[in-house]
Amino acid sequence: MKRLKRLVPTFACTLAVLIWTCAPVQAEFKGTLQRDQDWTLNVDNGATGGTTAVTVFYLGRSDESEFRTVPVGEGVSLAFSKPGRGVRRIIVEVNPPRGQLVPVELVQGQSYTWMSEGDSRVVFNVE
């Protein structure tokens, strides 16, 4: 029993350090996408600072992701196929060059827009 009393504070401190060192994930909810429709992501990397990275996470039965890049000085339209069955949520992460502001638009029936400065994450539910 005495040994257990010594281990509890040790485990509590270890857990506190782990929680303290891990940055919280923050994402802005943008809306709802349809699972039976294709969608596009328009990214305007007109900045001169470097390449913009785009990662799309499909969360559901089998979590998957897609990674794309947008070259310096280009605006591109990235096409994505239907989310499909089992996908409940889509997270779009945009990582522009440091100090650059990149406009992003997701289109599926309607338009969802945001400005990405630094690492940004937006979340969509899928119905």
Side-chain angles (χ1 to χ4, degrees):
M1 187 69 166
K2 197 173 194 178
R3 184 177 175 164
L4 183 62
K5 285 184 180 180
R6 272 190 271 164
L7 287 176
V8 170
T10 304
F11 286 128
C13 288
T14 304
L15 181 61
V17 167
L18 288 174
I19 291 172
W20 178 55
T21 59
C22 299
V25 175
Q26 297 178 350
E28 179 183 353
F29 177 75
K30 282 295 189 180
T32 302
L33 301 177
Q34 301 303 309
R35 79 176 65 256
D36 60 348
Q37 295 178 17
D38 295 340
W39 55 283
T40 59
L41 192 64
N42 300 315
V43 181
D44 184 8
N45 191 24
T48 58
T51 301
T52 293
V54 176
T55 308
V56 177
F57 299 95
Y58 300 94
L59 304 178
R61 279 189 238 166
S62 61
D63 298 341
E64 297 177 14
S65 62
E66 289 186 52
F67 179 79
R68 312 264 181 102
T69 58
V70 181
V72 178
E74 290 189 23
V76 297
S77 184
L78 306 170
F80 294 89
S81 59
K82 311 172 198 183
R85 296 182 66 117
V87 174
R88 301 267 183 223
R89 188 162 285 133
I90 292 176
I91 299 173
V92 178
E93 182 177 275
V94 180
N95 307 101
R98 184 179 300 261
Q100 300 295 326
L101 191 63
V102 174
V104 182
E105 176 189 33
L106 187 145
V107 179
Q108 188 199 56
Q110 66 182 34
S111 174
Y112 303 93
T113 60
W114 67 95
M115 296 296 282
S116 178
E117 182 175 19
D119 299 340
S120 69
R121 288 171 201 85
V122 295
V123 176
F124 295 90
N125 284 339
V126 178
E127 292 182 347

